[in-house]
């Protein structure tokens, strides 16, 4: 049950991060937000635990999970009208995790898990219907694939490693990776409120949530963690409505309902929480 508590924290924090990032793009460039998140995440976690020595594997997973994925999310939010939709498209990730786990980890995929993920991904697809979709929507889908690749790589390489030092190092690598893009398209508006919100976003979404995410992967595995993380788009729609007044379309509401149905199917098939 503890691992599910970790994931609940992840779902709430990342669900809030999408509309908050959309709001902050009016004050900061998407590339600067991504860099700042990684840099603050590195600073916060390094204050708690000494970072691990970086190597090729740590760099690869850090760039995939915390660098490229977050950058694609932020760029998507710059162009998108609905933060909830961007969040939904990112959550093609469980489908990619399922496929990559079967290939790289030789994981056995249960019928209930496959059906649950299929329903969740169907919800993602339905959410993009009804107009408003554009080529920029490919950015979060690509982000979902890179995130899945990084998630499976973490499970493959770092299961027996201390979570805090590794997560700190990955944030540092991601910050170094994102610094050139932040310098190229630099935009900062010095609003005290915006700056405080940016710091809060960085500490929670990059420091706390990634730490909880990797702990949940360690205890539940990447497929189960990815399945439950499908709740993030639902929370993102809710927070987008309360923060930005962004009301989900009928298709987005139906898609979110399919996501919840998919998660329920997984639990029914499993029979109990582990």
């Amino acid at each position: 049950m503890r691992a599910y508590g970790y994931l609940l924290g992840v779902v709430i924090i990342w669900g809030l991060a999408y509309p908050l990032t959309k709001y902050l793009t009016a004050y900061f460039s998407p590339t600067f937000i991504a860099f700042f998140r990684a840099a603050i995440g590195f600073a916060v976690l390094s204050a708690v635990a000494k970072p691990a020595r970086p190597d090729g594997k740590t760099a690869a997973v850090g760039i995939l999970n915390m660098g490229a994925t977050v950058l694609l999310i932020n760029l998507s939010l710059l162009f998108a009208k609905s933060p909830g939709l961007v969040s939904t498209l990112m959550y093609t990730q469980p489908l990619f995790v399922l496929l990559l786990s079967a290939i790289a980890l030789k994981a056995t995929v249960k019928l209930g898990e496959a059906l649950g993920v299929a329903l969740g991904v169907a919800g993602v697809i339905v959410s993009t219907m009804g107009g408003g979709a554009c080529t920029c929507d490919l950015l979060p889908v690509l982000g979902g694939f890179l995130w899945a690749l990084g998630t499976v790589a973490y499970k493959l390489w770092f299961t027996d490693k201390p979570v805090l030092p590794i997560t700190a190092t990955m944030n540092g690598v991601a910050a170094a990776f994102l610094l050139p893009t932040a310098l190229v398209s630099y935009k900062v508006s010095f609003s005290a409120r915006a700056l405080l919100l940016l710091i809060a976003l960085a500490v929670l979404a990059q420091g706390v949530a990634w730490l909880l995410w990797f702990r949940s992967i360690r205890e539940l595995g990447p497929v189960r963690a990815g399945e439950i993380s499908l709740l993030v788009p639902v929370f993102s729609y809710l927070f987008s409505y309360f923060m930005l007044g962004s009301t989900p379309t009928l298709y987005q509401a139906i898609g979110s309902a399919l996501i919840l149905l998919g998660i329920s199917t997984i639990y029914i098939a499993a029979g109990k929480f582990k």
Side-chain angles (χ1 to χ4, degrees):
M1 289 295 295
R2 181 179 58 184
Y4 290 97
Y6 295 155
L7 278 174
L8 178 61
V10 171
V11 164
I12 293 172
I13 292 171
W14 281 348
L16 177 62
Y18 284 88
L20 182 54
T21 301
K22 176 65 175 177
Y23 170 81
L24 289 172
T25 55
Y27 298 91
F28 308 99
S29 65
T31 55
F32 179 80
I33 295 172
F35 162 74
F36 190 84
R37 277 183 55 165
I40 292 296
F42 173 72
V44 169
L45 294 176
S46 296
V48 178
K50 182 180 179 180
R53 184 183 298 274
D55 56 22
K57 291 180 180 179
T58 310
V61 177
I63 289 172
L64 286 171
N65 282 305
M66 302 169 183
T69 297
V70 175
L71 179 60
L72 288 169
I73 290 173
N74 291 356
L75 289 173
S76 303
L77 288 168
L78 177 65
F79 300 111
K81 295 180 179 179
S82 170
L85 180 58
V86 173
S87 174
T88 301
L89 292 173
M90 275 295 301
Y91 281 82
T92 50
Q93 186 254 17
L95 174 61
F96 294 127
V97 167
L98 194 71
L99 296 174
L100 291 170
S101 293
I103 295 170
L105 304 179
K106 309 298 182 184
T108 300
V109 180
K110 298 178 181 178
L111 179 60
E113 289 180 329
L115 178 59
V117 173
L119 286 169
V121 173
V124 170
I125 295 172
V126 170
S127 295
T128 65
M129 299 169 63
C134 66
T135 54
C136 64
D137 293 329
L138 294 176
L139 293 176
V141 175
L142 176 58
F145 173 76
L146 295 180
W147 181 18
L149 193 60
T151 298
V152 173
Y154 180 89
K155 176 66 176 179
L156 187 62
W157 293 332
F158 298 111
T159 299
D160 58 345
K161 304 293 184 182
V163 176
L164 267 171
I166 292 293
T167 307
T169 300
M170 289 177 183
N171 271 295
V173 170
F177 169 78
L178 291 165
L179 178 58
T181 64
L183 293 175
V184 168
S185 57
Y186 182 80
K187 182 185 79 172
V188 172
S189 177
F190 287 97
S191 160
R193 179 185 179 185
L195 181 59
L196 289 174
L197 288 174
L198 179 61
I199 294 172
L201 172 68
V203 171
L204 291 174
Q206 200 73 16
V208 176
W210 276 114
L211 178 61
L212 295 176
W213 172 250
F214 287 134
R215 285 190 181 276
S216 67
I217 290 174
R218 175 169 297 189
E219 297 194 23
L220 296 175
V223 173
R224 177 58 59 87
E227 290 162 352
I228 299 171
S229 71
L230 285 167
L231 280 171
V232 171
V234 179
F235 277 79
S236 182
Y237 282 126
L238 291 174
F239 287 131
S240 295
Y241 173 74
F242 288 113
M243 293 175 60
L244 305 175
S246 177
T247 304
T249 66
L250 176 61
Y251 287 102
Q252 291 169 353
I254 293 172
S256 296
L258 283 172
I259 291 170
L260 288 173
L261 179 60
I263 295 171
S264 300
T265 301
I266 293 164
Y267 287 155
I268 292 171
K272 62 179 180 179
F273 289 101
K274 294 183 179 180

